[in-house]
Amino acid sequence: MRNHGEVTAFCAARQIGFVVIGPEAPLVDGLADSLRGAGLSVFGPSRAAAQLEGSKGFTKDLCERAGIPTAGYVRAASLAEARTALDRFSPPYVLKADGLAAGKGVVIAQYREEADAALADMFGGQFGEAGAEVVIEEFMQGEEASFFALTDGAIILPFGGAQDHKRVGEGDTGPNTGGMGAYSPAPILTPELRGEVMNRIVAPTVRALADEGMPYSGVLYAGVMLTADGPKLVEYNCRFGDPECQVLMMRLESDLGEYLLACAESRLGTMPPLKLSPQTALTVVMAANGYPGTPEKGGAIEDIEAAEATGARVFHAGTALDPSGRLIAAGGRVLNVTALGADTAEAQANAYAAVDLIDFPTGFCRRDIGWREIEREQAG
Ligand code: AMP
Ligand code: GLY
């Protein structure tokens, strides 16, 4: 990570007055505090508030203090402590490295032996510092959805919902990834459920952090499990998700910059509600062969223009230009091919029509993004 002084100097040299911090690592590292200290306006939470993503144990304790519905849990700071705590849980066992682990710090184990081995790996340094402490949780049954809100620490503006597809393979099989595709809205988050998530999860979190002297300013991404007992918090992210961000932006009709600045300047209360298109946006991630293991680098990509001529938008995630100026793959998740439609089925058809025009022989994508919702649409 770049030194905070370097970033501050860069902003000063170019007379930059407003900074939007995207990813979690610099937020958890306190870059927002450093830039605010230098007199800049910043979109993104302080180091203290970013603990919501940076420490699973911090968030679980906060939920307990504020009465926010989430899975029961135990924090453990040593392998012996964790093994003893595990006796109180029944399978499947949910084990989480406390700190940031790029989405790889969660293990769901069916058997005790598997859980013991995973704990040994975590405390053995598999995730470095992130695994110095572990959270063990009750397993929650249900469907997952994501809910987004902007807040300046006092006012909260809902930003809609989305659903991601975390597994690499069709039918939600294979290893976990950062996300292979998403859609928004997520009709499973009915207006009633969105109200519950706001009132029972997001608002009490914002209030508790403010009361405890660490007001949260930025975007709050609540991952929730829709259980038989109502929505429960799975985790918080202190950023727009990837690929959830792409579908939210595709639907956004308000001026994003105005809202981010209003958050930074603590005047979200002066802004009208965000306007989102009633259409559905769906994005398909095109990844490089090998992902989520070792992705093949350098594969040529052509015909993005043809895909965009259909009305789709192709967001670049892991691309580069080679010395001759050709577009090539330079990461795991390479492109997000995103389209709108009247419903999920139409948005899916539009997105895949664009995908099929892109020439990326060393890449792949899931062909079933949106399947749960489309099944529900077809069931009527
Ligand atoms: P997290 O990084 O905390 O979001 O966890 C990654 C994934 O593990 C989540 O998106 C869920 O699919 C799953 N997961 C996490 N915690 C639980 C839980 N308590 N019960 C069931 N599944 C969970
Ligand atoms: N797509 C999940 C995340 O950004 O954390």
Side-chain angles (χ1 to χ4, degrees):
M1 183 172 321
R2 278 182 187 263
N3 167 311
H4 295 187
E6 244 179 271
V7 181
T8 313
F10 178 93
C11 293
R14 286 165 183 75
Q15 295 178 313
I16 290 166
F18 176 46
V19 179
V20 177
I21 305 179
E24 66 276 22
L27 289 165
V28 170
D29 194 48
L31 182 61
D33 308 77
S34 301
L35 293 174
R36 285 192 187 107
L40 286 114
S41 287
V42 181
F43 178 80
S46 66
R47 175 194 208 128
Q51 288 180 92
L52 276 189
E53 180 163 0
S55 166
K56 309 241 181 226
F58 171 89
T59 299
K60 300 300 284 189
D61 288 351
L62 182 95
C63 287
E64 190 162 86
R65 289 197 297 280
I68 293 165
T70 186
Y73 72 105
V74 169
R75 296 177 77 165
S78 71
L79 182 55
E81 224 182 288
R83 288 224 162 112
T84 308
L86 208 52
D87 293 340
R88 289 194 258 148
F89 290 82
S90 45
Y93 301 102
V94 180
L95 314 168
K96 302 184 175 183
D98 184 75
L100 292 184
K104 301 193 178 85
V106 176
V107 172
I108 299 188
Q110 296 302 330
Y111 301 103
R112 177 70 196 235
E113 301 72 51
E114 215 184 324
D116 282 327
L119 286 172
D121 286 345
M122 286 181 185
F123 284 107
Q126 183 190 14
F127 302 115
E129 266 302 296
E133 195 181 316
V134 164
V135 174
I136 304 174
E137 288 186 15
E138 272 165 19
F139 181 81
M140 296 185 284
Q141 197 86 47
E143 191 167 328
E144 271 181 274
S146 310
F147 179 84
F148 298 81
L150 294 180
T151 177
D152 58 8
I155 301 295
I156 307 170
L157 286 188
F159 207 124
Q163 283 186 291
D164 188 10
H165 300 63
K166 295 208 170 156
R167 305 293 200 93
V168 75
E170 268 132 47
D172 295 328
T173 54
N176 262 317
T177 69
M180 294 301 291
Y183 52 88
S184 172
I188 194 166
L189 275 180
T190 58
E192 188 192 352
L193 284 173
R194 288 202 300 274
E196 261 187 73
V197 172
M198 261 300 263
N199 297 332
R200 300 190 58 205
I201 299 179
V202 175
T205 301
V206 170
R207 211 157 42 229
L209 287 172
D211 288 348
E212 294 179 14
M214 38 188 160
Y216 188 100
S217 167
V219 59
L220 201 49
Y221 165 156
V224 297
M225 191 72 82
L226 304 175
T227 76
D229 305 324
K232 294 189 180 179
L233 182 72
V234 179
E235 62 157 356
Y236 273 125
N237 293 317
C238 59
R239 52 183 169 81
F240 286 107
D242 175 14
E244 292 90 332
C245 186
Q246 291 83 329
V247 285
L248 293 174
M249 294 308 137
M250 200 73 179
R251 290 182 58 217
L252 184 66
E253 291 173 346
S254 306
D255 182 337
L256 180 69
E258 296 281 351
Y259 282 82
L260 302 187
L261 191 59
C263 262
E265 295 177 347
S266 302
R267 50 176 179 80
L268 209 48
T270 66
M271 303 294 287
L274 282 152
K275 262 214 219 120
L276 291 170
S277 160
Q279 288 199 291
T280 297
L282 185 142
T283 189
V284 176
V285 171
M286 296 186 83
N289 287 338
Y291 179 77
T294 307
E296 190 174 332
K297 284 207 170 129
I301 304 165
E302 278 172 31
D303 299 329
I304 303 267
E305 301 73 16
E308 291 205 313
T310 66
R313 288 285 279 278
V314 180
F315 294 95
H316 291 235
T319 62
L321 293 175
D322 76 3
S324 66
R326 256 186 350 155
L327 190 69
I328 56 167
R333 292 183 295 162
V334 177
L335 300 171
N336 311 109
V337 184
T338 314
L340 288 166
D343 57 13
T344 316
E346 192 181 298
Q348 187 202 54
N350 292 342
Y352 283 115
V355 164
D356 290 338
L357 292 171
I358 295 176
D359 187 20
F360 177 24
T362 62
F364 73 98
C365 66
R366 272 179 65 164
R367 301 295 313 187
D368 66 343
I369 299 304
W371 69 273
R372 280 173 198 278
E373 197 46 50
I374 291 168
E375 264 180 19
R376 280 192 283 262
E377 282 172 2
Q378 285 165 353

